[in-house]
PDB file of all heavy atoms in Angstrom:
ATOM      1  N   ILE A 471      56.175   3.738 138.548  1.00 82.00           N
ATOM      2  CA  ILE A 471      55.169   3.746 137.482  1.00 82.00           C
ATOM      3  C   ILE A 471      53.830   4.304 137.972  1.00 82.00           C
ATOM      4  O   ILE A 471      53.163   5.067 137.275  1.00 82.00           O
ATOM      5  CB  ILE A 471      54.992   2.329 136.899  1.00 82.00           C
ATOM      6  CG1 ILE A 471      56.219   1.963 136.065  1.00 82.00           C
ATOM      7  CG2 ILE A 471      53.733   2.216 136.058  1.00 82.00           C
ATOM      8  CD1 ILE A 471      56.154   0.618 135.391  1.00 82.00           C
ATOM      9  N   LYS A 472      53.443   3.915 139.190  1.00 83.00           N
ATOM     10  CA  LYS A 472      52.166   4.428 139.708  1.00 83.00           C
ATOM     11  C   LYS A 472      52.201   5.949 139.866  1.00 83.00           C
ATOM     12  O   LYS A 472      51.235   6.649 139.557  1.00 83.00           O
ATOM     13  CB  LYS A 472      51.844   3.754 141.039  1.00 83.00           C
ATOM     14  CG  LYS A 472      51.447   2.300 140.903  1.00 83.00           C
ATOM     15  CD  LYS A 472      50.989   1.726 142.245  1.00 83.00           C
ATOM     16  CE  LYS A 472      50.530   0.280 142.080  1.00 83.00           C
ATOM     17  NZ  LYS A 472      50.081  -0.311 143.361  1.00 83.00           N
ATOM     18  N   GLU A 473      53.334   6.464 140.347  1.00 87.00           N
ATOM     19  CA  GLU A 473      53.472   7.914 140.497  1.00 87.00           C
ATOM     20  C   GLU A 473      53.449   8.588 139.128  1.00 87.00           C
ATOM     21  O   GLU A 473      52.835   9.663 138.961  1.00 87.00           O
ATOM     22  CB  GLU A 473      54.766   8.256 141.226  1.00 87.00           C
ATOM     23  CG  GLU A 473      54.805   7.834 142.685  1.00 87.00           C
ATOM     24  CD  GLU A 473      55.208   6.379 142.868  1.00 87.00           C
ATOM     25  OE1 GLU A 473      55.300   5.653 141.847  1.00 87.00           O
ATOM     26  OE2 GLU A 473      55.419   5.969 144.033  1.00 87.00           O
ATOM     27  N   LEU A 474      54.123   7.948 138.140  1.00 87.00           N
ATOM     28  CA  LEU A 474      54.127   8.502 136.797  1.00 87.00           C
ATOM     29  C   LEU A 474      52.719   8.558 136.219  1.00 87.00           C
ATOM     30  O   LEU A 474      52.315   9.572 135.635  1.00 87.00           O
ATOM     31  CB  LEU A 474      55.011   7.645 135.879  1.00 87.00           C
ATOM     32  CG  LEU A 474      54.969   7.984 134.383  1.00 87.00           C
ATOM     33  CD1 LEU A 474      55.533   9.368 134.127  1.00 87.00           C
ATOM     34  CD2 LEU A 474      55.721   6.945 133.551  1.00 87.00           C
ATOM     35  N   LYS A 475      51.966   7.488 136.382  1.00 88.00           N
ATOM     36  CA  LYS A 475      50.604   7.463 135.852  1.00 88.00           C
ATOM     37  C   LYS A 475      49.768   8.577 136.463  1.00 88.00           C
ATOM     38  O   LYS A 475      49.056   9.290 135.736  1.00 88.00           O
ATOM     39  CB  LYS A 475      49.956   6.108 136.139  1.00 88.00           C
ATOM     40  CG  LYS A 475      48.513   6.007 135.642  1.00 88.00           C
ATOM     41  CD  LYS A 475      47.905   4.641 135.902  1.00 88.00           C
ATOM     42  CE  LYS A 475      46.460   4.612 135.386  1.00 88.00           C
ATOM     43  NZ  LYS A 475      45.807   3.295 135.622  1.00 88.00           N
ATOM     44  N   GLN A 476      49.835   8.738 137.779  1.00 92.00           N
ATOM     45  CA  GLN A 476      49.042   9.772 138.427  1.00 92.00           C
ATOM     46  C   GLN A 476      49.469  11.167 137.973  1.00 92.00           C
ATOM     47  O   GLN A 476      48.636  12.050 137.739  1.00 92.00           O
ATOM     48  CB  GLN A 476      49.177   9.661 139.954  1.00 92.00           C
ATOM     49  CG  GLN A 476      48.178  10.522 140.722  1.00 92.00           C
ATOM     50  CD  GLN A 476      46.739  10.184 140.373  1.00 92.00           C
ATOM     51  OE1 GLN A 476      46.341   9.024 140.404  1.00 92.00           O
ATOM     52  NE2 GLN A 476      45.973  11.191 140.011  1.00 92.00           N
ATOM     53  N   ASP A 477      50.790  11.343 137.817  1.00 94.00           N
ATOM     54  CA  ASP A 477      51.302  12.647 137.378  1.00 94.00           C
ATOM     55  C   ASP A 477      50.839  12.969 135.960  1.00 94.00           C
ATOM     56  O   ASP A 477      50.414  14.082 135.657  1.00 94.00           O
ATOM     57  CB  ASP A 477      52.832  12.628 137.450  1.00 94.00           C
ATOM     58  CG  ASP A 477      53.400  14.037 137.576  1.00 94.00           C
ATOM     59  OD1 ASP A 477      52.607  14.983 137.746  1.00 94.00           O
ATOM     60  OD2 ASP A 477      54.638  14.188 137.528  1.00 94.00           O
ATOM     61  N   VAL A 478      50.898  11.958 135.077  1.00 92.00           N
ATOM     62  CA  VAL A 478      50.458  12.169 133.682  1.00 92.00           C
ATOM     63  C   VAL A 478      48.962  12.456 133.632  1.00 92.00           C
ATOM     64  O   VAL A 478      48.513  13.355 132.905  1.00 92.00           O
ATOM     65  CB  VAL A 478      50.800  10.948 132.809  1.00 92.00           C
ATOM     66  CG1 VAL A 478      50.134  11.053 131.435  1.00 92.00           C
ATOM     67  CG2 VAL A 478      52.304  10.813 132.651  1.00 92.00           C
ATOM     68  N   LEU A 479      48.180  11.704 134.406  1.00 94.00           N
ATOM     69  CA  LEU A 479      46.733  11.935 134.426  1.00 94.00           C
ATOM     70  C   LEU A 479      46.407  13.331 134.916  1.00 94.00           C
ATOM     71  O   LEU A 479      45.536  14.019 134.353  1.00 94.00           O
ATOM     72  CB  LEU A 479      46.049  10.888 135.318  1.00 94.00           C
ATOM     73  CG  LEU A 479      45.980   9.459 134.772  1.00 94.00           C
ATOM     74  CD1 LEU A 479      45.438   8.503 135.826  1.00 94.00           C
ATOM     75  CD2 LEU A 479      45.097   9.401 133.525  1.00 94.00           C
ATOM     76  N   ASN A 480      47.089  13.777 135.951  1.00 95.00           N
ATOM     77  CA  ASN A 480      46.833  15.111 136.509  1.00 95.00           C
ATOM     78  C   ASN A 480      47.196  16.198 135.500  1.00 95.00           C
ATOM     79  O   ASN A 480      46.419  17.147 135.293  1.00 95.00           O
ATOM     80  CB  ASN A 480      47.637  15.316 137.795  1.00 95.00           C
ATOM     81  CG  ASN A 480      47.108  14.471 138.944  1.00 95.00           C
ATOM     82  OD1 ASN A 480      45.967  14.016 138.917  1.00 95.00           O
ATOM     83  ND2 ASN A 480      47.935  14.246 139.957  1.00 95.00           N
ATOM     84  N   LYS A 481      48.345  16.054 134.886  1.00 95.00           N
ATOM     85  CA  LYS A 481      48.787  17.090 133.935  1.00 95.00           C
ATOM     86  C   LYS A 481      47.927  17.080 132.668  1.00 95.00           C
ATOM     87  O   LYS A 481      47.655  18.140 132.086  1.00 95.00           O
ATOM     88  CB  LYS A 481      50.267  16.895 133.584  1.00 95.00           C
ATOM     89  CG  LYS A 481      51.211  17.397 134.677  1.00 95.00           C
ATOM     90  CD  LYS A 481      52.666  17.247 134.277  1.00 95.00           C
ATOM     91  CE  LYS A 481      53.583  18.025 135.221  1.00 95.00           C
ATOM     92  NZ  LYS A 481      53.436  17.664 136.632  1.00 95.00           N
ATOM     93  N   THR A 482      47.503  15.906 132.217  1.00 95.00           N
ATOM     94  CA  THR A 482      46.608  15.829 131.055  1.00 95.00           C
ATOM     95  C   THR A 482      45.285  16.515 131.342  1.00 95.00           C
ATOM     96  O   THR A 482      44.755  17.269 130.506  1.00 95.00           O
ATOM     97  CB  THR A 482      46.362  14.369 130.652  1.00 95.00           C
ATOM     98  OG1 THR A 482      47.603  13.711 130.399  1.00 95.00           O
ATOM     99  CG2 THR A 482      45.489  14.280 129.411  1.00 95.00           C
ATOM    100  N   SER A 483      44.746  16.269 132.519  1.00 96.00           N
ATOM    101  CA  SER A 483      43.492  16.914 132.925  1.00 96.00           C
ATOM    102  C   SER A 483      43.645  18.418 133.006  1.00 96.00           C
ATOM    103  O   SER A 483      42.783  19.179 132.562  1.00 96.00           O
ATOM    104  CB  SER A 483      43.033  16.345 134.270  1.00 96.00           C
ATOM    105  OG  SER A 483      41.873  17.012 134.719  1.00 96.00           O
ATOM    106  N   TYR A 484      44.778  18.862 133.551  1.00 96.00           N
ATOM    107  CA  TYR A 484      44.996  20.308 133.699  1.00 96.00           C
ATOM    108  C   TYR A 484      45.166  20.971 132.330  1.00 96.00           C
ATOM    109  O   TYR A 484      44.615  22.055 132.088  1.00 96.00           O
ATOM    110  CB  TYR A 484      46.244  20.551 134.553  1.00 96.00           C
ATOM    111  CG  TYR A 484      46.512  22.017 134.791  1.00 96.00           C
ATOM    112  CD1 TYR A 484      45.657  22.797 135.566  1.00 96.00           C
ATOM    113  CD2 TYR A 484      47.636  22.628 134.221  1.00 96.00           C
ATOM    114  CE1 TYR A 484      45.908  24.140 135.770  1.00 96.00           C
ATOM    115  CE2 TYR A 484      47.883  23.971 134.427  1.00 96.00           C
ATOM    116  CZ  TYR A 484      47.010  24.724 135.199  1.00 96.00           C
ATOM    117  OH  TYR A 484      47.262  26.062 135.400  1.00 96.00           O
ATOM    118  N   VAL A 485      45.892  20.306 131.438  1.00 96.00           N
ATOM    119  CA  VAL A 485      46.076  20.848 130.089  1.00 96.00           C
ATOM    120  C   VAL A 485      44.721  20.987 129.382  1.00 96.00           C
ATOM    121  O   VAL A 485      44.447  21.998 128.732  1.00 96.00           O
ATOM    122  CB  VAL A 485      47.018  19.924 129.274  1.00 96.00           C
ATOM    123  CG1 VAL A 485      46.872  20.183 127.782  1.00 96.00           C
ATOM    124  CG2 VAL A 485      48.463  20.146 129.686  1.00 96.00           C
ATOM    125  N   ALA A 486      43.884  19.969 129.514  1.00 96.00           N
ATOM    126  CA  ALA A 486      42.553  20.019 128.885  1.00 96.00           C
ATOM    127  C   ALA A 486      41.726  21.172 129.442  1.00 96.00           C
ATOM    128  O   ALA A 486      41.021  21.861 128.690  1.00 96.00           O
ATOM    129  CB  ALA A 486      41.832  18.695 129.100  1.00 96.00           C
ATOM    130  N   LYS A 487      41.829  21.403 130.737  1.00 96.00           N
ATOM    131  CA  LYS A 487      41.069  22.510 131.362  1.00 96.00           C
ATOM    132  C   LYS A 487      41.573  23.865 130.894  1.00 96.00           C
ATOM    133  O   LYS A 487      40.792  24.780 130.654  1.00 96.00           O
ATOM    134  CB  LYS A 487      41.156  22.399 132.886  1.00 96.00           C
ATOM    135  CG  LYS A 487      40.369  21.237 133.468  1.00 96.00           C
ATOM    136  CD  LYS A 487      40.532  21.150 134.982  1.00 96.00           C
ATOM    137  CE  LYS A 487      39.758  19.960 135.548  1.00 96.00           C
ATOM    138  NZ  LYS A 487      39.957  19.812 137.009  1.00 96.00           N
ATOM    139  N   ARG A 488      42.906  23.997 130.773  1.00 97.00           N
ATOM    140  CA  ARG A 488      43.454  25.273 130.312  1.00 97.00           C
ATOM    141  C   ARG A 488      43.047  25.547 128.863  1.00 97.00           C
ATOM    142  O   ARG A 488      42.753  26.687 128.497  1.00 97.00           O
ATOM    143  CB  ARG A 488      44.977  25.270 130.423  1.00 97.00           C
ATOM    144  CG  ARG A 488      45.540  25.159 131.843  1.00 97.00           C
ATOM    145  CD  ARG A 488      44.869  26.056 132.830  1.00 97.00           C
ATOM    146  NE  ARG A 488      44.707  27.423 132.373  1.00 97.00           N
ATOM    147  CZ  ARG A 488      43.992  28.340 133.004  1.00 97.00           C
ATOM    148  NH1 ARG A 488      43.326  28.013 134.106  1.00 97.00           N
ATOM    149  NH2 ARG A 488      43.901  29.563 132.547  1.00 97.00           N
ATOM    150  N   ARG A 489      43.026  24.505 128.035  1.00 97.00           N
ATOM    151  CA  ARG A 489      42.586  24.690 126.652  1.00 97.00           C
ATOM    152  C   ARG A 489      41.121  25.085 126.599  1.00 97.00           C
ATOM    153  O   ARG A 489      40.723  25.976 125.851  1.00 97.00           O
ATOM    154  CB  ARG A 489      42.802  23.402 125.848  1.00 97.00           C
ATOM    155  CG  ARG A 489      42.326  23.482 124.395  1.00 97.00           C
ATOM    156  CD  ARG A 489      42.621  22.190 123.631  1.00 97.00           C
ATOM    157  NE  ARG A 489      42.212  22.304 122.239  1.00 97.00           N
ATOM    158  CZ  ARG A 489      40.999  21.979 121.777  1.00 97.00           C
ATOM    159  NH1 ARG A 489      40.084  21.494 122.616  1.00 97.00           N
ATOM    160  NH2 ARG A 489      40.702  22.110 120.491  1.00 97.00           N
ATOM    161  N   GLU A 490      40.321  24.421 127.413  1.00 96.00           N
ATOM    162  CA  GLU A 490      38.895  24.742 127.479  1.00 96.00           C
ATOM    163  C   GLU A 490      38.677  26.187 127.892  1.00 96.00           C
ATOM    164  O   GLU A 490      37.855  26.902 127.312  1.00 96.00           O
ATOM    165  CB  GLU A 490      38.203  23.796 128.464  1.00 96.00           C
ATOM    166  CG  GLU A 490      36.688  23.953 128.550  1.00 96.00           C
ATOM    167  CD  GLU A 490      35.947  23.265 127.427  1.00 96.00           C
ATOM    168  OE1 GLU A 490      36.577  22.519 126.665  1.00 96.00           O
ATOM    169  OE2 GLU A 490      34.737  23.494 127.319  1.00 96.00           O
ATOM    170  N   THR A 491      39.427  26.645 128.882  1.00 96.00           N
ATOM    171  CA  THR A 491      39.293  28.014 129.363  1.00 96.00           C
ATOM    172  C   THR A 491      39.639  29.017 128.267  1.00 96.00           C
ATOM    173  O   THR A 491      38.925  29.994 128.044  1.00 96.00           O
ATOM    174  CB  THR A 491      40.203  28.242 130.582  1.00 96.00           C
ATOM    175  OG1 THR A 491      39.806  27.377 131.642  1.00 96.00           O
ATOM    176  CG2 THR A 491      40.130  29.680 131.066  1.00 96.00           C
TER     177      THR A 491
END
Side-chain angles (χ1 to χ4, degrees):
I471 288 182
K472 289 186 178 180
E473 292 83 352
L474 172 65
K475 179 179 180 180
Q476 191 58 51
D477 204 7
V478 170
L479 288 173
N480 289 341
K481 282 183 167 56
T482 304
S483 176
Y484 182 67
V485 162
K487 289 178 181 177
R488 296 315 312 171
R489 178 178 183 270
E490 184 80 9
T491 298

